[in-house]
Amino acid sequence: MMPKVTKAQIHPTNRCNLNCIFCDVPFRYKGKPDLPDEKWISTVKELCELGPEIVTISGGGEPFVRTKLLIDIIKMLHSAGIKIEVISNGTFISDDVTKTIAECCHHYRVSLHSTTIESDEFLRGVKGSVKLSFEGIKKIAEWKKKLNKNKPTIDIAMVLTKINISEIEKMIIKASEFGANRISLRIVHKWGEKYRPTQEQMKYLKKKLKEYEEMAKKRNLDLIYDFVIEDMFEPAGKKMDEILGDKNNKLQKDEPFCTLPFREIVVFADGRVACCCNFIIDPEESEGVDSIKNRTLHQVWMGEKFKNL
């Protein structure tokens, strides 16, 4: 396989205007500076030259904290004919932001986990942010109509916890009313382990999933989930870490070859570069992690670390 960038991901910042209870980024990167605007602009120019099919703009933190920079980046990528996916908490809803997303993006994913002010305030840490996120979805859907476009796909990414797992039906109803196209469900990850749904709640979800799928379909919504529900049940005497460990070991035996180093590049907010977002916690000195702080993106992509990996 010859290395060719087909997909890229960039994290413009680790800062965020929310404080989600299951997110470790504010603690892990507190006080660490982001790359300056001019470095991001030159890096995105290089990325356009490398010619990926799609670029995902995410975090880290909330990318639209750096609103002007992000609008400039989106327009640069769009002019280069690259598909753009933006992952956001959806609370930055100015006309400039929503129109740029509607005009330029292929996919817009909103991290939104509740339909009520109370639950949202608990989960995302800021009162009233749920209203902003839904209003942003509505604005982008309206811009799509004005522009006579069926893109971007508007996707609500709902992290399921024991606090909000009963709100899936409400989310389906509200998502369809505000113009979303998809709801993606995932189980809260390890940082939010104490908020993981109970076994009883997972049994109830297992029983209701087909009903939720049908309900979504009737409202022209896709409902997808990135977990195998059977994996969420703990056998007697086994902890979740052991179950996931067993699963990972099986995957390594069945599928030993990963293609990401040949085709993907991820630029983190502090300038570290890797082939996969799972390297987000690895320092610059790690094998397979490089940096563009004092180098160009081309130099990193063709550099010794990436070659060795």
Side-chain angles (χ1 to χ4, degrees):
M1 289 180 66
M2 293 299 293
K4 168 72 173 77
V5 179
T6 60
K7 186 177 179 183
Q9 186 178 140
I10 59 175
H11 296 194
T13 184
N14 284 323
R15 290 175 285 139
C16 191
N17 59 319
L18 301 184
N19 188 26
C20 297
I21 58 172
F22 41 73
C23 180
D24 62 335
V25 170
F27 303 95
R28 195 180 294 280
Y29 297 104
K30 189 175 182 180
K32 293 187 178 179
D34 299 331
L35 287 173
D37 286 15
E38 57 273 15
K39 184 63 176 177
W40 269 119
I41 295 297
S42 65
T43 298
V44 172
K45 280 180 182 173
E46 285 191 87
L47 197 52
C48 291
E49 290 165 10
L50 287 169
E53 295 167 15
I54 185 166
V55 172
T56 299
I57 303 170
S58 64
E62 165 52 45
F64 280 104
V65 164
R66 302 179 76 172
T67 303
K68 184 183 180 307
L69 171 66
L70 202 64
I71 288 174
D72 289 344
I73 287 173
I74 289 171
K75 288 180 177 178
M76 284 171 65
L77 293 168
H78 181 63
S79 296
I82 296 167
K83 289 180 181 176
I84 305 158
E85 176 186 40
V86 173
I87 302 174
S88 167
N89 61 38
T91 58
F92 288 80
I93 60 166
S94 70
D95 282 345
D96 274 353
V97 168
T98 52
K99 186 168 184 263
T100 300
I101 290 169
E103 284 180 333
C104 302
C105 293
H106 190 75
H107 192 81
Y108 175 64
R109 175 172 283 199
V110 187
S111 299
L112 181 57
H113 320 297
S114 176
T115 59
T116 67
I117 291 172
E118 295 75 23
S119 293
D120 179 74
E121 183 182 359
F122 181 80
L123 292 166
R124 300 203 298 177
V126 175
K127 191 167 187 176
S129 67
V130 66
K131 287 186 175 180
L132 291 173
S133 295
F134 276 113
E135 189 60 33
I137 289 168
K138 185 179 177 183
K139 276 190 173 187
I140 293 166
E142 286 169 351
W143 275 116
K144 282 168 64 178
K145 283 184 182 176
K146 286 179 191 173
L147 298 166
N148 196 25
K149 293 182 66 185
N150 61 3
K151 296 290 181 185
T153 305
I154 303 173
D155 181 6
I156 294 175
M158 185 178 182
V159 174
L160 298 180
T161 67
K162 61 186 177 184
I163 310 297
N164 67 341
I165 196 168
S166 61
E167 291 190 48
I168 297 171
E169 187 172 329
K170 291 178 184 174
M171 185 64 85
I172 291 169
I173 294 167
K174 199 151 185 176
S176 65
E177 288 173 351
F178 279 78
N181 307 108
R182 181 190 296 169
I183 298 174
S184 303
L185 304 178
R186 63 171 52 192
I187 304 296
V188 66
H189 58 62
K190 194 170 180 180
W191 182 265
E193 183 68 32
K194 67 179 179 178
Y195 303 108
R196 179 179 283 273
T198 66
Q199 293 288 286
E200 284 304 309
Q201 286 176 320
M202 290 306 301
K203 284 176 188 173
Y204 182 76
L205 177 61
K206 184 177 181 180
K207 197 163 60 174
K208 295 283 285 184
L209 266 180
K210 280 291 176 194
E211 184 183 319
Y212 292 150
E213 287 171 9
E214 288 300 316
M215 183 183 177
K217 191 176 179 181
K218 284 177 184 174
R219 293 173 175 267
N220 295 317
L221 279 171
D222 290 325
L223 182 68
I224 61 173
Y225 33 96
D226 69 348
F227 54 90
V228 178
I229 198 158
E230 283 74 20
D231 291 345
M232 297 298 112
F233 296 97
E234 298 179 28
K238 252 195 173 185
K239 293 183 179 177
M240 187 56 65
D241 283 351
E242 293 177 69
I243 297 164
L244 295 176
D246 289 348
K247 189 180 177 189
N248 289 339
N249 288 337
K250 183 180 184 303
L251 284 172
Q252 286 167 12
K253 288 171 190 170
D254 292 347
E255 301 176 27
F257 183 57
C258 176
T259 62
L260 289 186
F262 296 88
R263 60 185 177 88
E264 187 162 342
I265 196 165
V266 183
V267 185
F268 299 114
D270 57 4
R272 284 173 302 121
V273 184
C275 68
C276 171
C277 61
N278 286 320
F279 283 87
I280 189 169
I281 63 172
D282 292 87
E284 193 178 314
E285 301 74 33
S286 303
E287 185 180 7
V289 180
D290 212 325
S291 174
I292 55 168
K293 278 182 278 192
N294 299 306
R295 306 177 74 200
T296 67
L297 195 60
H298 284 291
Q299 287 169 338
V300 168
W301 177 246
M302 300 305 296
E304 284 304 308
K305 279 194 170 183
F306 270 51
K307 281 183 184 177
N308 289 337
L309 187 64

